[in-house]
Each structure stands twice: as C-alpha cells, then as structure tokens.
Amino acid sequence: MPIKIIKNFFKRVFYNLFITKKHVKLGFYGPPNSGKTTLANRLCKDWVGEDMGKVSRVPHETREIQFKEKVDINFNNKKITFKLIDTPGIATKIDYEDFLHYGLKTKEAKKRAREATRGVIESIKWLDDMDAVIVVLDSSKNPYTQVNITIIGNLVARKIPVLIAANKTDLKRIKLKKIEAAFPEYDVVGISAKKGHNMEEFYETLFDLVKKT
Amino acid sequence: MKNITLQFIPYAEIAYISPYRRVKYLIDLAVDNRILLIQGKLAPEEEADLIQETMKRIGKKRSRFKGIELTTFSPKTKNLSFMQSFKENVAKTLLGERDVFTIVGPATIVREIKKDPKKIQLLLRK
C-alpha cells in the first residue's frame, strides 16, 4: 500500500503540473442506508438522464461496486467529466437476522448477508483507486460512529480529498450542526438526494473538491 | 446468566508485532467472544484491515460470529499549559499513544457502544 500512496502522489503532482484532468474518479462511501446510491442516481439523473443503481429501504442493497463512466457535469461554465463509483456501505457487523425484520426469507437473508460482507471488503479495497470521495452520511443519525471515523481516517491517510454530504435533510430531527462539529476540517453540505434539495451548493462544493485532486 | 470475558490488552502486547499479526490476534480474540479493552489505538489502515478480516470471518461454518462493535476513546486533558502539552507530545512520540483506548466487542454480545466525552456505555444483548 505505501507504494500505491507514493504512486498516487506522483500521479497527482504530474497531472496538476502538465495535464488538465479530464476524468475524475469520484467515489461514494459511507455506512449502509445513508443514501450513496440515491445521491449517485441524482447526479446521473441530473446529467445523464438515467439511474445508476437500485435503492431500497433494506440495508446493503448495493453489494457490488457500481460504475458510471463519462458523466459530464457542467456548472458555472465549467465542465468536468467524472467516473462515478458507487460502493457498498461499510459496516463492522452484518447479521442476516436483521434482514428478516424487513420481510426477507431466511435463505434470502443469509445470501444477502454473505454478499454484503464481500461488498464491504470490496469497498475498502477500492479506496486506493479514488481521486476524490463523497462521504454520504444520514443527517438524522449520530455521526460519531467508528465506521465514519475509519472511512475518513483512511481517506486522509491516502491523501484523497473528501466532501461530506449530509444526506436526508428532508427528514425530521436532522443533526447537521453535529456533523459539522464532528468533522470540522471538511466541507459539509446538507442535501436531500431524494428530493434534490440544495444540489446547487453541492455541485459548487464538488467543483472546489476536484481542484484539490 | 451468560459469562462475559473482558480482556485487557496492554500497549506493549501488540505494539511491536506486525500490523497483519496485530489484526489477526485481535479478531481471533473477538471471535472467541471476548470483549477487548486495548491500550492504544490502531492506525486507520489497520482499522480498515480489521473490518475486512471481520467480514471474512462472518458466516463461517459452525461460527455464530456476526461482526464487531468498535470504538476508540481518549480521556482528553483540557487546558494544559504549553510545557505540559509539550511534555505530553514528547511522551507520545517516545512511548506511543498510551492514553487512548480501543474497545472491540463481538456483535453477538455487544449490541452497541455509546460514548460521550465522560463515559462509555456497552449495551449488551440479552
């Protein structure tokens, strides 16, 4: 891994000096059910006109890495081409019995749990390949979880720029200030990917983020 | 009533082994249904390795292991003078972060870990 970090560092320096970056590999990371795929879908709908992945109220709906190549985003007369990479939610525990509460049959729940564990491993493996990452958090939930801290800690260790999307601001009892207080070094944008709230500010902050890559 | 083992792991016990062996050692103990109180903390990359290793162990045959609950906490001392914080930083550099603790609990026993600046609560399963 240290070789990869050095490689990424030189790649970035080289790109910033000589080449205008055309493709930005943008990852969506976060805990399960925070709305990563909903946000990726919002970006795809806004700029490509189609969805990227299926969403569900059952956690761990995304169990494999999903890609969308060549998503051109035009904002304030600037254009950046992104490769969107939607990742399975990262968790420290997966219990198939939790899925039974959502009406899944035992066999189906066990299969989902098995696939979800593989998904978490894949998400972590892919961290090294990102140019920039949007950490998607559910703004109605406590942000001080070890999973959130571990994700952001790993991005910082790899020198990957981070933007925190505090999603689901359309819900009641949101904790936007708490998220800002938990991660004061990072830009936090409150959005509702589902309803499309505050996407202007999100795109503006995203373009600022790309400058850091 | 179920027996619960709380194992204290001093800094010296894991500080001088390779990251791979450290993660494997901790996960083996968690799979063995022990709640670990570790002096010190893992690097972010080791935490990621610990999560990956945890995922690999879930669903193995004849194992009820469902993952872990993990948290790190540091009893922060506020309002230190310049000299005190200088001494603390020197001690950290020489001896490692020994005033930080990490808790790892198997999810079959620990349902949730709640923390605030003054206390840690381990919510156990019935």
Side-chain angles (χ1 to χ4, degrees), chain A residues 1 90-95 97 117 120-121 124-125 144 146 150 153-154 157-158, chain B residues 44-45 47-48 51-52 54-56 58 66-72 107 111 115:
Chain A
M1 206 195 61
I90 295 180
T92 57
K93 58 181 180 184
I94 294 171
D95 185 354
E97 287 176 2
T117 57
V120 173
I121 294 169
I124 294 172
K125 277 185 189 165
Y144 293 97
Q146 197 62 36
T150 302
N154 272 274
R158 289 164 172 81
Chain B
E45 294 92 337
E47 282 180 6
I51 294 174
Q52 284 188 306
T54 300
M55 292 298 124
K56 287 178 191 166
I58 295 174
K66 291 168 179 176
I68 54 168
E69 278 291 337
L70 169 73
T71 196
T72 302
R111 182 164 50 87
K115 67 172 178 177

PDB file of all heavy atoms in Angstrom, chain A residues 1 90-95 97 117 120-121 124-125 144 146 150 153-154 157-158, chain B residues 44-45 47-48 51-52 54-56 58 66-72 107 111 115:
ATOM      1  N   MET A   1       0.778  -1.223   0.000  1.00  0.00           N
ATOM      2  CA  MET A   1       0.000   0.000   0.000  1.00  0.00           C
ATOM      3  C   MET A   1       0.823   1.293   0.000  1.00  0.00           C
ATOM      4  O   MET A   1       0.450   2.238  -0.675  1.00  0.00           O
ATOM      5  CB  MET A   1      -0.973   0.011   1.153  1.00  0.00           C
ATOM      6  CG  MET A   1      -2.166   0.873   0.847  1.00  0.00           C
ATOM      7  SD  MET A   1      -3.099   1.250   2.286  1.00  0.00           S
ATOM      8  CE  MET A   1      -1.929   2.129   3.274  1.00  0.00           C
ATOM      9  N   ILE A  90     -20.170   0.507   4.267  1.00  0.00           N
ATOM     10  CA  ILE A  90     -19.172  -0.130   5.139  1.00  0.00           C
ATOM     11  C   ILE A  90     -19.757  -0.298   6.544  1.00  0.00           C
ATOM     12  O   ILE A  90     -20.306   0.647   7.120  1.00  0.00           O
ATOM     13  CB  ILE A  90     -17.866   0.695   5.163  1.00  0.00           C
ATOM     14  CG1 ILE A  90     -17.243   0.663   3.758  1.00  0.00           C
ATOM     15  CG2 ILE A  90     -16.884   0.149   6.210  1.00  0.00           C
ATOM     16  CD1 ILE A  90     -15.962   1.430   3.618  1.00  0.00           C
ATOM     17  N   ALA A  91     -19.642  -1.523   7.063  1.00  0.00           N
ATOM     18  CA  ALA A  91     -20.162  -1.830   8.400  1.00  0.00           C
ATOM     19  C   ALA A  91     -19.164  -2.727   9.116  1.00  0.00           C
ATOM     20  O   ALA A  91     -18.321  -3.359   8.479  1.00  0.00           O
ATOM     21  CB  ALA A  91     -21.502  -2.546   8.267  1.00  0.00           C
ATOM     22  N   THR A  92     -19.280  -2.763  10.451  1.00  0.00           N
ATOM     23  CA  THR A  92     -18.388  -3.654  11.208  1.00  0.00           C
ATOM     24  C   THR A  92     -19.110  -4.949  11.574  1.00  0.00           C
ATOM     25  O   THR A  92     -18.495  -5.870  12.112  1.00  0.00           O
ATOM     26  CB  THR A  92     -17.899  -2.976  12.508  1.00  0.00           C
ATOM     27  OG1 THR A  92     -19.046  -2.598  13.273  1.00  0.00           O
ATOM     28  CG2 THR A  92     -17.045  -1.759  12.215  1.00  0.00           C
ATOM     29  N   LYS A  93     -20.419  -4.987  11.347  1.00  0.00           N
ATOM     30  CA  LYS A  93     -21.169  -6.219  11.661  1.00  0.00           C
ATOM     31  C   LYS A  93     -22.296  -6.405  10.648  1.00  0.00           C
ATOM     32  O   LYS A  93     -22.879  -5.418  10.183  1.00  0.00           O
ATOM     33  CB  LYS A  93     -21.728  -6.164  13.082  1.00  0.00           C
ATOM     34  CG  LYS A  93     -22.630  -4.974  13.332  1.00  0.00           C
ATOM     35  CD  LYS A  93     -23.142  -4.937  14.747  1.00  0.00           C
ATOM     36  CE  LYS A  93     -24.040  -3.731  14.953  1.00  0.00           C
ATOM     37  NZ  LYS A  93     -24.515  -3.568  16.309  1.00  0.00           N
ATOM     38  N   ILE A  94     -22.571  -7.644  10.325  1.00  0.00           N
ATOM     39  CA  ILE A  94     -23.681  -7.953   9.423  1.00  0.00           C
ATOM     40  C   ILE A  94     -24.354  -9.217   9.954  1.00  0.00           C
ATOM     41  O   ILE A  94     -23.722 -10.262  10.061  1.00  0.00           O
ATOM     42  CB  ILE A  94     -23.200  -8.153   7.964  1.00  0.00           C
ATOM     43  CG1 ILE A  94     -22.649  -6.832   7.419  1.00  0.00           C
ATOM     44  CG2 ILE A  94     -24.350  -8.662   7.087  1.00  0.00           C
ATOM     45  CD1 ILE A  94     -21.962  -6.927   6.083  1.00  0.00           C
ATOM     46  N   ASP A  95     -25.622  -9.061  10.310  1.00  0.00           N
ATOM     47  CA  ASP A  95     -26.367 -10.181  10.871  1.00  0.00           C
ATOM     48  C   ASP A  95     -27.556 -10.455   9.948  1.00  0.00           C
ATOM     49  O   ASP A  95     -28.412  -9.577   9.777  1.00  0.00           O
ATOM     50  CB  ASP A  95     -26.845  -9.782  12.282  1.00  0.00           C
ATOM     51  CG  ASP A  95     -27.532 -10.922  12.999  1.00  0.00           C
ATOM     52  OD1 ASP A  95     -27.746 -11.985  12.377  1.00  0.00           O
ATOM     53  OD2 ASP A  95     -27.852 -10.746  14.186  1.00  0.00           O
ATOM     54  N   GLU A  97     -30.116 -11.999  10.448  1.00  0.00           N
ATOM     55  CA  GLU A  97     -31.398 -11.904  11.154  1.00  0.00           C
ATOM     56  C   GLU A  97     -31.994 -10.491  11.083  1.00  0.00           C
ATOM     57  O   GLU A  97     -33.210 -10.323  11.154  1.00  0.00           O
ATOM     58  CB  GLU A  97     -31.234 -12.345  12.609  1.00  0.00           C
ATOM     59  CG  GLU A  97     -31.061 -13.857  12.710  1.00  0.00           C
ATOM     60  CD  GLU A  97     -30.798 -14.342  14.116  1.00  0.00           C
ATOM     61  OE1 GLU A  97     -30.776 -13.517  15.039  1.00  0.00           O
ATOM     62  OE2 GLU A  97     -30.584 -15.552  14.269  1.00  0.00           O
ATOM     63  N   THR A 117     -21.059  -8.915   3.112  1.00  0.00           N
ATOM     64  CA  THR A 117     -19.704  -8.981   3.697  1.00  0.00           C
ATOM     65  C   THR A 117     -18.654  -8.824   2.591  1.00  0.00           C
ATOM     66  O   THR A 117     -17.665  -8.120   2.760  1.00  0.00           O
ATOM     67  CB  THR A 117     -19.456 -10.312   4.461  1.00  0.00           C
ATOM     68  OG1 THR A 117     -19.668 -11.402   3.571  1.00  0.00           O
ATOM     69  CG2 THR A 117     -20.332 -10.450   5.663  1.00  0.00           C
ATOM     70  N   VAL A 120     -18.407  -5.143   1.553  1.00  0.00           N
ATOM     71  CA  VAL A 120     -17.622  -4.290   2.462  1.00  0.00           C
ATOM     72  C   VAL A 120     -16.130  -4.433   2.136  1.00  0.00           C
ATOM     73  O   VAL A 120     -15.390  -3.436   2.053  1.00  0.00           O
ATOM     74  CB  VAL A 120     -17.894  -4.659   3.948  1.00  0.00           C
ATOM     75  CG1 VAL A 120     -16.967  -3.892   4.874  1.00  0.00           C
ATOM     76  CG2 VAL A 120     -19.342  -4.391   4.315  1.00  0.00           C
ATOM     77  N   ILE A 121     -15.699  -5.675   1.919  1.00  0.00           N
ATOM     78  CA  ILE A 121     -14.279  -5.929   1.602  1.00  0.00           C
ATOM     79  C   ILE A 121     -13.905  -5.204   0.301  1.00  0.00           C
ATOM     80  O   ILE A 121     -12.866  -4.539   0.226  1.00  0.00           O
ATOM     81  CB  ILE A 121     -14.018  -7.457   1.486  1.00  0.00           C
ATOM     82  CG1 ILE A 121     -14.224  -8.116   2.857  1.00  0.00           C
ATOM     83  CG2 ILE A 121     -12.613  -7.746   0.959  1.00  0.00           C
ATOM     84  CD1 ILE A 121     -14.248  -9.639   2.840  1.00  0.00           C
ATOM     85  N   ILE A 124     -13.530  -1.351   0.692  1.00  0.00           N
ATOM     86  CA  ILE A 124     -12.261  -0.959   1.324  1.00  0.00           C
ATOM     87  C   ILE A 124     -11.105  -1.110   0.323  1.00  0.00           C
ATOM     88  O   ILE A 124     -10.244  -0.241   0.232  1.00  0.00           O
ATOM     89  CB  ILE A 124     -12.029  -1.752   2.630  1.00  0.00           C
ATOM     90  CG1 ILE A 124     -13.094  -1.346   3.656  1.00  0.00           C
ATOM     91  CG2 ILE A 124     -10.628  -1.508   3.182  1.00  0.00           C
ATOM     92  CD1 ILE A 124     -13.122  -2.167   4.921  1.00  0.00           C
ATOM     93  N   LYS A 125     -11.126  -2.188  -0.464  1.00  0.00           N
ATOM     94  CA  LYS A 125     -10.063  -2.386  -1.456  1.00  0.00           C
ATOM     95  C   LYS A 125     -10.009  -1.231  -2.452  1.00  0.00           C
ATOM     96  O   LYS A 125      -8.949  -0.828  -2.898  1.00  0.00           O
ATOM     97  CB  LYS A 125     -10.318  -3.685  -2.231  1.00  0.00           C
ATOM     98  CG  LYS A 125      -9.821  -4.920  -1.532  1.00  0.00           C
ATOM     99  CD  LYS A 125     -10.007  -6.117  -2.439  1.00  0.00           C
ATOM    100  CE  LYS A 125      -9.733  -7.407  -1.700  1.00  0.00           C
ATOM    101  NZ  LYS A 125     -10.236  -8.580  -2.431  1.00  0.00           N
ATOM    102  N   TYR A 144     -20.958  10.348  15.136  1.00  0.00           N
ATOM    103  CA  TYR A 144     -19.751   9.900  15.854  1.00  0.00           C
ATOM    104  C   TYR A 144     -19.657   8.374  15.903  1.00  0.00           C
ATOM    105  O   TYR A 144     -19.580   7.780  16.969  1.00  0.00           O
ATOM    106  CB  TYR A 144     -19.750  10.436  17.291  1.00  0.00           C
ATOM    107  CG  TYR A 144     -19.594  11.927  17.397  1.00  0.00           C
ATOM    108  CD1 TYR A 144     -20.709  12.743  17.551  1.00  0.00           C
ATOM    109  CD2 TYR A 144     -18.341  12.524  17.340  1.00  0.00           C
ATOM    110  CE1 TYR A 144     -20.576  14.122  17.650  1.00  0.00           C
ATOM    111  CE2 TYR A 144     -18.200  13.893  17.441  1.00  0.00           C
ATOM    112  CZ  TYR A 144     -19.317  14.687  17.597  1.00  0.00           C
ATOM    113  OH  TYR A 144     -19.179  16.042  17.695  1.00  0.00           O
ATOM    114  N   GLN A 146     -17.671   4.772  14.716  1.00  0.00           N
ATOM    115  CA  GLN A 146     -16.310   4.385  14.356  1.00  0.00           C
ATOM    116  C   GLN A 146     -16.193   4.135  12.855  1.00  0.00           C
ATOM    117  O   GLN A 146     -15.144   4.384  12.267  1.00  0.00           O
ATOM    118  CB  GLN A 146     -15.888   3.147  15.157  1.00  0.00           C
ATOM    119  CG  GLN A 146     -14.397   2.921  15.166  1.00  0.00           C
ATOM    120  CD  GLN A 146     -13.610   4.052  15.820  1.00  0.00           C
ATOM    121  OE1 GLN A 146     -14.066   4.645  16.794  1.00  0.00           O
ATOM    122  NE2 GLN A 146     -12.447   4.384  15.274  1.00  0.00           N
ATOM    123  N   THR A 150     -13.392   5.762  10.709  1.00  0.00           N
ATOM    124  CA  THR A 150     -12.448   4.891   9.982  1.00  0.00           C
ATOM    125  C   THR A 150     -12.415   5.244   8.493  1.00  0.00           C
ATOM    126  O   THR A 150     -11.336   5.316   7.898  1.00  0.00           O
ATOM    127  CB  THR A 150     -12.839   3.406  10.181  1.00  0.00           C
ATOM    128  OG1 THR A 150     -12.825   3.132  11.571  1.00  0.00           O
ATOM    129  CG2 THR A 150     -11.878   2.470   9.479  1.00  0.00           C
ATOM    130  N   GLY A 153     -10.660   8.617   8.186  1.00  0.00           N
ATOM    131  CA  GLY A 153      -9.257   8.421   8.559  1.00  0.00           C
ATOM    132  C   GLY A 153      -8.464   7.763   7.439  1.00  0.00           C
ATOM    133  O   GLY A 153      -7.325   8.142   7.151  1.00  0.00           O
ATOM    134  N   ASN A 154      -9.072   6.796   6.774  1.00  0.00           N
ATOM    135  CA  ASN A 154      -8.389   6.103   5.680  1.00  0.00           C
ATOM    136  C   ASN A 154      -8.235   6.997   4.453  1.00  0.00           C
ATOM    137  O   ASN A 154      -7.225   6.907   3.747  1.00  0.00           O
ATOM    138  CB  ASN A 154      -9.142   4.821   5.307  1.00  0.00           C
ATOM    139  CG  ASN A 154      -8.677   3.669   6.153  1.00  0.00           C
ATOM    140  OD1 ASN A 154      -7.694   3.013   5.830  1.00  0.00           O
ATOM    141  ND2 ASN A 154      -9.336   3.452   7.281  1.00  0.00           N
ATOM    142  N   ALA A 157      -5.412   9.347   5.298  1.00  0.00           N
ATOM    143  CA  ALA A 157      -4.125   8.634   5.229  1.00  0.00           C
ATOM    144  C   ALA A 157      -3.674   8.462   3.781  1.00  0.00           C
ATOM    145  O   ALA A 157      -2.482   8.426   3.499  1.00  0.00           O
ATOM    146  CB  ALA A 157      -4.254   7.281   5.911  1.00  0.00           C
ATOM    147  N   ARG A 158      -4.620   8.358   2.864  1.00  0.00           N
ATOM    148  CA  ARG A 158      -4.284   8.184   1.438  1.00  0.00           C
ATOM    149  C   ARG A 158      -4.249   9.516   0.685  1.00  0.00           C
ATOM    150  O   ARG A 158      -4.143   9.532  -0.531  1.00  0.00           O
ATOM    151  CB  ARG A 158      -5.322   7.271   0.787  1.00  0.00           C
ATOM    152  CG  ARG A 158      -5.210   5.827   1.215  1.00  0.00           C
ATOM    153  CD  ARG A 158      -6.478   5.056   0.869  1.00  0.00           C
ATOM    154  NE  ARG A 158      -6.350   3.632   1.082  1.00  0.00           N
ATOM    155  CZ  ARG A 158      -6.471   3.013   2.250  1.00  0.00           C
ATOM    156  NH1 ARG A 158      -6.725   3.720   3.339  1.00  0.00           N
ATOM    157  NH2 ARG A 158      -6.346   1.710   2.357  1.00  0.00           N
TER     158      ARG A 158
ATOM    159  N   PRO B  44      -5.544   4.076  10.989  1.00  0.00           N
ATOM    160  CA  PRO B  44      -6.754   3.952  10.156  1.00  0.00           C
ATOM    161  C   PRO B  44      -6.695   2.753   9.201  1.00  0.00           C
ATOM    162  O   PRO B  44      -7.682   2.050   9.022  1.00  0.00           O
ATOM    163  CB  PRO B  44      -6.788   5.269   9.372  1.00  0.00           C
ATOM    164  CG  PRO B  44      -6.020   6.230  10.182  1.00  0.00           C
ATOM    165  CD  PRO B  44      -4.979   5.433  10.911  1.00  0.00           C
ATOM    166  N   GLU B  45      -5.517   2.510   8.615  1.00  0.00           N
ATOM    167  CA  GLU B  45      -5.393   1.379   7.678  1.00  0.00           C
ATOM    168  C   GLU B  45      -5.597   0.049   8.403  1.00  0.00           C
ATOM    169  O   GLU B  45      -6.166  -0.883   7.841  1.00  0.00           O
ATOM    170  CB  GLU B  45      -4.000   1.375   7.017  1.00  0.00           C
ATOM    171  CG  GLU B  45      -3.726   2.558   6.113  1.00  0.00           C
ATOM    172  CD  GLU B  45      -3.067   3.712   6.850  1.00  0.00           C
ATOM    173  OE1 GLU B  45      -3.211   3.804   8.094  1.00  0.00           O
ATOM    174  OE2 GLU B  45      -2.425   4.545   6.185  1.00  0.00           O
ATOM    175  N   GLU B  47      -7.474  -0.305  11.078  1.00  0.00           N
ATOM    176  CA  GLU B  47      -8.909  -0.404  11.362  1.00  0.00           C
ATOM    177  C   GLU B  47      -9.635  -0.955  10.139  1.00  0.00           C
ATOM    178  O   GLU B  47     -10.527  -1.791  10.252  1.00  0.00           O
ATOM    179  CB  GLU B  47      -9.475   0.977  11.717  1.00  0.00           C
ATOM    180  CG  GLU B  47      -9.158   1.410  13.130  1.00  0.00           C
ATOM    181  CD  GLU B  47      -9.722   2.778  13.466  1.00  0.00           C
ATOM    182  OE1 GLU B  47     -10.459   3.346  12.652  1.00  0.00           O
ATOM    183  OE2 GLU B  47      -9.404   3.273  14.553  1.00  0.00           O
ATOM    184  N   ALA B  48      -9.223  -0.471   8.941  1.00  0.00           N
ATOM    185  CA  ALA B  48      -9.831  -0.969   7.702  1.00  0.00           C
ATOM    186  C   ALA B  48      -9.527  -2.460   7.522  1.00  0.00           C
ATOM    187  O   ALA B  48     -10.407  -3.238   7.145  1.00  0.00           O
ATOM    188  CB  ALA B  48      -9.323  -0.164   6.504  1.00  0.00           C
ATOM    189  N   ILE B  51     -11.739  -4.433   9.795  1.00  0.00           N
ATOM    190  CA  ILE B  51     -13.103  -4.577   9.248  1.00  0.00           C
ATOM    191  C   ILE B  51     -13.117  -5.646   8.152  1.00  0.00           C
ATOM    192  O   ILE B  51     -14.002  -6.500   8.106  1.00  0.00           O
ATOM    193  CB  ILE B  51     -13.637  -3.222   8.725  1.00  0.00           C
ATOM    194  CG1 ILE B  51     -13.816  -2.234   9.893  1.00  0.00           C
ATOM    195  CG2 ILE B  51     -14.963  -3.399   7.987  1.00  0.00           C
ATOM    196  CD1 ILE B  51     -14.201  -0.823   9.494  1.00  0.00           C
ATOM    197  N   GLN B  52     -12.113  -5.615   7.285  1.00  0.00           N
ATOM    198  CA  GLN B  52     -12.058  -6.615   6.200  1.00  0.00           C
ATOM    199  C   GLN B  52     -11.942  -8.030   6.776  1.00  0.00           C
ATOM    200  O   GLN B  52     -12.636  -8.943   6.332  1.00  0.00           O
ATOM    201  CB  GLN B  52     -10.862  -6.337   5.289  1.00  0.00           C
ATOM    202  CG  GLN B  52     -11.101  -5.164   4.353  1.00  0.00           C
ATOM    203  CD  GLN B  52      -9.990  -5.042   3.329  1.00  0.00           C
ATOM    204  OE1 GLN B  52      -8.830  -4.972   3.677  1.00  0.00           O
ATOM    205  NE2 GLN B  52     -10.342  -4.998   2.064  1.00  0.00           N
ATOM    206  N   THR B  54     -12.838  -8.978   9.703  1.00  0.00           N
ATOM    207  CA  THR B  54     -14.114  -9.285  10.366  1.00  0.00           C
ATOM    208  C   THR B  54     -15.115  -9.842   9.349  1.00  0.00           C
ATOM    209  O   THR B  54     -15.784 -10.842   9.594  1.00  0.00           O
ATOM    210  CB  THR B  54     -14.688  -7.996  11.012  1.00  0.00           C
ATOM    211  OG1 THR B  54     -13.754  -7.520  11.961  1.00  0.00           O
ATOM    212  CG2 THR B  54     -16.013  -8.237  11.689  1.00  0.00           C
ATOM    213  N   MET B  55     -15.193  -9.176   8.200  1.00  0.00           N
ATOM    214  CA  MET B  55     -16.146  -9.607   7.167  1.00  0.00           C
ATOM    215  C   MET B  55     -15.839 -11.015   6.672  1.00  0.00           C
ATOM    216  O   MET B  55     -16.739 -11.790   6.393  1.00  0.00           O
ATOM    217  CB  MET B  55     -16.133  -8.619   5.990  1.00  0.00           C
ATOM    218  CG  MET B  55     -16.684  -7.257   6.323  1.00  0.00           C
ATOM    219  SD  MET B  55     -18.417  -7.312   6.825  1.00  0.00           S
ATOM    220  CE  MET B  55     -18.344  -6.531   8.418  1.00  0.00           C
ATOM    221  N   LYS B  56     -14.542 -11.321   6.596  1.00  0.00           N
ATOM    222  CA  LYS B  56     -14.153 -12.663   6.112  1.00  0.00           C
ATOM    223  C   LYS B  56     -14.578 -13.751   7.104  1.00  0.00           C
ATOM    224  O   LYS B  56     -14.806 -14.885   6.716  1.00  0.00           O
ATOM    225  CB  LYS B  56     -12.628 -12.729   5.914  1.00  0.00           C
ATOM    226  CG  LYS B  56     -12.155 -11.963   4.699  1.00  0.00           C
ATOM    227  CD  LYS B  56     -10.636 -12.034   4.601  1.00  0.00           C
ATOM    228  CE  LYS B  56     -10.130 -11.051   3.560  1.00  0.00           C
ATOM    229  NZ  LYS B  56      -8.678 -10.841   3.652  1.00  0.00           N
ATOM    230  N   ILE B  58     -17.289 -13.628   9.117  1.00  0.00           N
ATOM    231  CA  ILE B  58     -18.744 -13.748   9.312  1.00  0.00           C
ATOM    232  C   ILE B  58     -19.289 -14.867   8.415  1.00  0.00           C
ATOM    233  O   ILE B  58     -18.921 -14.974   7.255  1.00  0.00           O
ATOM    234  CB  ILE B  58     -19.470 -12.407   8.995  1.00  0.00           C
ATOM    235  CG1 ILE B  58     -19.042 -11.329   9.988  1.00  0.00           C
ATOM    236  CG2 ILE B  58     -20.992 -12.576   9.028  1.00  0.00           C
ATOM    237  CD1 ILE B  58     -19.588  -9.950   9.682  1.00  0.00           C
ATOM    238  N   LYS B  66     -20.865 -12.550  14.166  1.00  0.00           N
ATOM    239  CA  LYS B  66     -21.621 -11.662  13.286  1.00  0.00           C
ATOM    240  C   LYS B  66     -20.939 -10.317  13.061  1.00  0.00           C
ATOM    241  O   LYS B  66     -21.526  -9.400  12.510  1.00  0.00           O
ATOM    242  CB  LYS B  66     -23.006 -11.416  13.894  1.00  0.00           C
ATOM    243  CG  LYS B  66     -23.874 -12.654  13.860  1.00  0.00           C
ATOM    244  CD  LYS B  66     -25.105 -12.509  14.683  1.00  0.00           C
ATOM    245  CE  LYS B  66     -25.934 -13.782  14.564  1.00  0.00           C
ATOM    246  NZ  LYS B  66     -27.121 -13.730  15.423  1.00  0.00           N
ATOM    247  N   GLY B  67     -19.719 -10.215  13.569  1.00  0.00           N
ATOM    248  CA  GLY B  67     -19.006  -8.960  13.397  1.00  0.00           C
ATOM    249  C   GLY B  67     -18.624  -8.366  14.731  1.00  0.00           C
ATOM    250  O   GLY B  67     -18.709  -9.032  15.769  1.00  0.00           O
ATOM    251  N   ILE B  68     -18.204  -7.119  14.690  1.00  0.00           N
ATOM    252  CA  ILE B  68     -17.711  -6.485  15.923  1.00  0.00           C
ATOM    253  C   ILE B  68     -18.341  -5.104  16.117  1.00  0.00           C
ATOM    254  O   ILE B  68     -18.859  -4.504  15.169  1.00  0.00           O
ATOM    255  CB  ILE B  68     -16.172  -6.309  15.891  1.00  0.00           C
ATOM    256  CG1 ILE B  68     -15.729  -5.543  14.626  1.00  0.00           C
ATOM    257  CG2 ILE B  68     -15.464  -7.648  15.991  1.00  0.00           C
ATOM    258  CD1 ILE B  68     -14.294  -5.083  14.636  1.00  0.00           C
ATOM    259  N   GLU B  69     -18.291  -4.667  17.339  1.00  0.00           N
ATOM    260  CA  GLU B  69     -18.518  -3.257  17.650  1.00  0.00           C
ATOM    261  C   GLU B  69     -17.143  -2.701  18.000  1.00  0.00           C
ATOM    262  O   GLU B  69     -16.356  -3.381  18.684  1.00  0.00           O
ATOM    263  CB  GLU B  69     -19.476  -3.099  18.832  1.00  0.00           C
ATOM    264  CG  GLU B  69     -20.932  -3.203  18.467  1.00  0.00           C
ATOM    265  CD  GLU B  69     -21.445  -2.031  17.645  1.00  0.00           C
ATOM    266  OE1 GLU B  69     -20.842  -0.946  17.706  1.00  0.00           O
ATOM    267  OE2 GLU B  69     -22.448  -2.205  16.939  1.00  0.00           O
ATOM    268  N   LEU B  70     -16.867  -1.518  17.535  1.00  0.00           N
ATOM    269  CA  LEU B  70     -15.516  -0.963  17.688  1.00  0.00           C
ATOM    270  C   LEU B  70     -15.604   0.504  18.057  1.00  0.00           C
ATOM    271  O   LEU B  70     -16.400   1.244  17.479  1.00  0.00           O
ATOM    272  CB  LEU B  70     -14.811  -1.136  16.336  1.00  0.00           C
ATOM    273  CG  LEU B  70     -13.482  -0.456  16.070  1.00  0.00           C
ATOM    274  CD1 LEU B  70     -12.378  -1.141  16.833  1.00  0.00           C
ATOM    275  CD2 LEU B  70     -13.166  -0.496  14.568  1.00  0.00           C
ATOM    276  N   THR B  71     -14.815   0.905  19.007  1.00  0.00           N
ATOM    277  CA  THR B  71     -14.746   2.347  19.297  1.00  0.00           C
ATOM    278  C   THR B  71     -13.386   2.698  19.908  1.00  0.00           C
ATOM    279  O   THR B  71     -12.734   1.856  20.520  1.00  0.00           O
ATOM    280  CB  THR B  71     -15.894   2.806  20.223  1.00  0.00           C
ATOM    281  OG1 THR B  71     -16.004   4.221  20.158  1.00  0.00           O
ATOM    282  CG2 THR B  71     -15.673   2.411  21.671  1.00  0.00           C
ATOM    283  N   THR B  72     -12.998   3.929  19.708  1.00  0.00           N
ATOM    284  CA  THR B  72     -11.756   4.431  20.284  1.00  0.00           C
ATOM    285  C   THR B  72     -12.091   5.650  21.132  1.00  0.00           C
ATOM    286  O   THR B  72     -12.929   6.449  20.742  1.00  0.00           O
ATOM    287  CB  THR B  72     -10.793   4.847  19.161  1.00  0.00           C
ATOM    288  OG1 THR B  72     -10.567   3.714  18.337  1.00  0.00           O
ATOM    289  CG2 THR B  72      -9.460   5.310  19.702  1.00  0.00           C
ATOM    290  N   ALA B 107     -20.165  -8.698  18.104  1.00  0.00           N
ATOM    291  CA  ALA B 107     -21.544  -8.214  17.965  1.00  0.00           C
ATOM    292  C   ALA B 107     -22.563  -9.193  18.532  1.00  0.00           C
ATOM    293  O   ALA B 107     -23.703  -8.804  18.795  1.00  0.00           O
ATOM    294  CB  ALA B 107     -21.842  -7.927  16.495  1.00  0.00           C
ATOM    295  N   ARG B 111     -24.292  -5.154  21.662  1.00  0.00           N
ATOM    296  CA  ARG B 111     -25.257  -4.661  20.669  1.00  0.00           C
ATOM    297  C   ARG B 111     -24.833  -3.290  20.150  1.00  0.00           C
ATOM    298  O   ARG B 111     -24.924  -2.994  18.985  1.00  0.00           O
ATOM    299  CB  ARG B 111     -26.651  -4.581  21.313  1.00  0.00           C
ATOM    300  CG  ARG B 111     -27.755  -4.143  20.387  1.00  0.00           C
ATOM    301  CD  ARG B 111     -29.134  -4.463  20.980  1.00  0.00           C
ATOM    302  NE  ARG B 111     -29.288  -3.996  22.353  1.00  0.00           N
ATOM    303  CZ  ARG B 111     -29.703  -2.781  22.693  1.00  0.00           C
ATOM    304  NH1 ARG B 111     -30.002  -1.902  21.765  1.00  0.00           N
ATOM    305  NH2 ARG B 111     -29.819  -2.430  23.959  1.00  0.00           N
ATOM    306  N   LYS B 115     -20.796   6.422  23.289  1.00  0.00           N
ATOM    307  CA  LYS B 115     -19.766   7.170  24.022  1.00  0.00           C
ATOM    308  C   LYS B 115     -20.063   8.662  24.021  1.00  0.00           C
ATOM    309  O   LYS B 115     -20.649   9.184  23.083  1.00  0.00           O
ATOM    310  CB  LYS B 115     -18.385   6.881  23.443  1.00  0.00           C
ATOM    311  CG  LYS B 115     -18.140   7.376  22.051  1.00  0.00           C
ATOM    312  CD  LYS B 115     -16.671   7.193  21.684  1.00  0.00           C
ATOM    313  CE  LYS B 115     -16.436   7.653  20.264  1.00  0.00           C
ATOM    314  NZ  LYS B 115     -15.055   7.571  19.850  1.00  0.00           N
TER     315      LYS B 115
END
